[in-house]
Amino acid sequence: MSNRKAATARRRLFAVTRYHAIGLFISLLFIAPIAWSALVSFKPSSEAARPPLPPWPVEGFSTQSYENLAKYGVGIWTYAGNSLTVAAATVVVTVIISLLAGYGFSRFNFPLKNLLFVLIISTVMIPFQSILTPLFLILTKLGLQNTLPGIVLIYVTLHLPFSIFMMRNAFDAVPKEIEDAARVDGASVLLMLRRVMLPLVLPGVATVAIFAFLASWNEFLAALILLTDQKKYTLPVMMAAVRSGQFGSIDWGAVQSGVMLMMAPCLALFLLLQGYYIRGLTAGAVK
Amino acid sequence: MSAQHSQAPDKATIELKGVRKSFGSVDVIHDLDLKIAGGEFIVFVGPSGCGKSTLLRMIAGLEEVTDGDILIAGRDVTDLDPAKRGIAMVFQSYALYPHMSVRENLAFGLEIARTSAAEIKRQVEAAAEILKIGPLLDRRPGQLSGGQRQRVAIGRAIVRKPLVFLFDEPLSNLDAELRVSMRVEIARLHRELGNTMIYVTHDQTEAMTLADRIVVLRDGRIEQVGSPREVYENPANLFVAGFIGSPRMNIIDGICLAANRLSIAGTEIELDRPLPAAPQEAIKLGIRPEHWLITDKQADALPAQVEFAEYLGSTQYVHCRLANGELVTIEQRGGTDAKPGERLWLNCHQAALKIFSMSGEARRRVPAPIE
């Protein structure tokens, strides 16, 4: 009897160990590149330029790479500020427009509603690189070329189809009767949207916000083409400049510290909103 | 119960004048007139798709009225917002705000109406006391059972101190036992508050037990308005006869032979009173399951063969086939158990026999006026 118990315990221990070992191995695979970047970013510049093994700093920790990066061009804070402004503005404008449009598509009936919706969604299928030239010309005509509002407009346009689709689904998942109840309670459309509907579609909003933030924070091509003034560069464009080096020498430490710097807000935002994000993506999957 | 509720000017009449509703080219409510007295408990019943919920939503102001007028307490509210009509509504799915606590759910309408915080607190607590949901006030709807949620939904209606309560199938999401106890609660609420209430259901028991008057609807038209007893005992037509009562009334074909002689399924029956039909006229006969008698063979009895029997404890439903193939249901209390294939002889309480024309109107009395 006790033998059987011991055998069961051994089997369970083995299963648990195997489960955690596999999990740990897979986690290491995912963490390794990030850890490597982080470790290299803390090597002194001279060491960072040498062959990368071992990955950890052997000549002592140093923030030299970060200092070099901070002094790059017109200063890292200008670029980070530009990126943050563009990403935040893109998030705010995308959320507001997709919230209202999603509500409209979900709740109101108007002629050609479905056609219009399909039309909006179908723009996702156009590769955006193919329309960069016309976009550039339009922005120039509008006097928005080489401005941050111009690039925000482009990003918002690119993210709206997905965002509207996401928000329409989020509103579709809210029972109509809740809205009826709010109307009986005397709520106006805007008050109802703000106090009743918004909290209920928050997972959708979080998903839209994360996508818009990540995409606009990391976007490179449009920023590279539309921004010509070095003072208006966003972080990805600056990173490309760091990566291409000066006079043939590349400061690998600065590149890795740039990677860390660019990753930090994305990670923070995702960790902050991940609960909502997952709920947003799976909304309506089960009742 | 708090004094404020009993003092409310709550005996509001409701009047529908030529009310019509169409979705595109499809008419769902046809030119409907109805007067509801102050303090009355009215139940709309009908099969699904008959327009009962649409009609309720029109009274609530959640659905636009295509044509006609709706008056609440003598005031034309046809074009008013739901919040300005003096109504409160309880929905089938409860429609509580999931992100707010019970207290916030109850207070939401009052907050919008800019009621003072002290007054909100007083009213929320008064409503919570009536519905015994005091201990639940700080919970979220997701943490409540179905019955508790429905109480909160009713509480949200009560705090609005409406002239009229509208219930849209409020109990259909609850299990059978809870439904019975909530039904009793709603009846108590009506007794205590005395407001005019309109209640939509497809459940006959709810309709019969709660209603002062039942409005039977079909295809957007009123088929009959009357007390539960009236619609059960004197249905205005075949539809009402078949719809009200469970198991449904047996409708069988017959031919009037003479003033008081009748042929049903090939058997001639002598009646104790003259038929409201012309000689040789084909008619429909309505007999409720409880009005059949199983007898020993008699001259005036119908032969029938038992198809199957359902034992329900206090009663037994015997499903039989008549000589002409028509299926009838008999409610049997006591007696021996009927076995499938057995031959029976059926008689009926003649006083309870309903006569309908072939087009479906009741022949004994004119349909009750819509009042």
Side-chain angles (χ1 to χ4, degrees), chain B residues 299-313:
Chain B
D300 278 346
L302 299 174
Q305 189 159 18
V306 177
E307 292 269 313
F308 64 101
E310 293 171 307
Y311 176 73
L312 273 85

Side-chain angles (χ1 to χ4, degrees), chain B residues 116-368:
Chain B
S116 71
E119 178 64 15
I120 291 178
K121 188 169 186 298
R122 205 171 59 79
Q123 290 198 27
V124 166
E125 273 162 17
E129 196 194 330
I130 293 176
L131 293 162
K132 304 178 184 74
I133 50 174
L136 310 176
L137 281 177
D138 294 315
R139 293 209 206 154
R140 292 270 178 97
Q143 298 166 306
L144 305 178
S145 69
Q148 289 170 330
R149 283 182 212 182
Q150 197 51 278
R151 274 168 204 272
V152 175
I154 294 172
R156 186 171 62 181
I158 291 177
V159 291
R160 289 180 51 74
K161 287 209 255 173
L163 300 169
V164 178
F165 282 91
L166 306 175
F167 295 92
D168 190 2
E169 308 207 22
L171 307 185
S172 39
N173 283 0
L174 302 179
D175 61 55
E177 202 179 323
L178 206 53
R179 213 177 299 170
V180 174
S181 64
M182 282 305 289
R183 199 173 73 209
V184 175
E185 292 265 326
I186 291 175
R188 174 179 70 94
L189 204 68
H190 180 241
R191 223 173 31 245
E192 286 182 7
L193 302 181
N195 292 54
T196 312
M197 294 187 178
I198 304 181
Y199 189 104
V200 165
T201 182
H202 60 261
D203 183 308
Q204 297 196 19
T205 322
E206 283 172 29
M208 299 296 273
T209 52
L210 288 170
D212 290 328
R213 281 195 302 160
I214 291 178
V215 177
V216 186
L217 290 156
R218 176 171 62 157
D219 297 337
R221 290 191 175 85
I222 291 179
E223 294 289 326
Q224 188 173 3
V225 183
S227 68
R229 187 175 285 276
E230 271 165 9
V231 292
Y232 187 77
E233 292 181 3
N234 292 306
N237 52 43
L238 274 179
F239 173 77
V240 178
F243 189 77
I244 300 287
S246 175
R248 50 187 287 132
M249 184 186 265
N250 298 293
I251 308 289
I252 47 184
D253 289 326
I255 296 169
C256 172
L257 298 174
N260 55 357
R261 277 197 77 73
L262 180 67
S263 164
I264 308 172
T267 306
E268 283 189 26
I269 292 173
E270 189 83 35
L271 296 178
D272 60 359
R273 61 196 77 185
L275 275 171
Q280 297 309 315
E281 188 187 349
I283 50 173
K284 296 265 186 194
L285 298 147
I287 306 161
R288 295 239 176 246
E290 66 269 27
H291 294 142
W292 287 107
L293 297 169
I294 298 174
T295 65
D296 299 331
K297 186 176 175 180
Q298 286 178 7
D300 278 346
L302 299 174
Q305 189 159 18
V306 177
E307 292 269 313
F308 64 101
E310 293 171 307
Y311 176 73
L312 273 85
S314 60
T315 60
Q316 183 171 207
Y317 293 125
V318 186
H319 299 270
C320 306
R321 204 169 280 286
L322 298 180
N324 63 353
E326 281 179 303
L327 206 62
V328 296
T329 307
I330 300 153
E331 184 183 311
Q332 190 191 11
R333 285 177 188 270
T336 52
D337 285 358
K339 288 170 194 67
E342 192 183 335
R343 260 181 102 70
L344 296 177
W345 296 92
L346 304 178
N347 220 323
C348 72
H349 292 293
Q350 294 204 0
L353 191 66
K354 305 288 170 227
I355 312 291
F356 300 91
S357 68
M358 288 307 277
S359 58
E361 294 88 47
R363 273 292 171 82
R364 283 211 173 159
R365 47 194 75 178
V366 287

Side-chain angles (χ1 to χ4, degrees), chain A residues 44-56:
Chain A
S45 289
S46 54
E47 193 194 341
R50 288 204 296 271
L53 284 174
W56 52 84

Side-chain angles (χ1 to χ4, degrees), chain A residues 175-188 191-192 195-197 199-200, chain B residues 57 61-62 82-83 89 91-93 95-100 108-109 111-112 156 160:
Chain A
K176 183 99 178 53
E177 285 191 338
I178 289 187
E179 233 173 301
D180 287 341
R183 280 178 68 193
V184 171
D185 270 340
S188 64
L191 185 86
M192 181 171 70
R195 295 265 324 256
V196 178
M197 299 303 270
L200 298 179
Chain B
R57 290 172 58 81
L62 294 171
M89 188 153 169
F91 297 88
Q92 180 178 354
S93 65
L96 299 175
Y97 311 122
H99 56 294
M100 297 184 195
F108 186 65
E111 271 173 42
I112 291 174
R156 186 171 62 181
R160 289 180 51 74

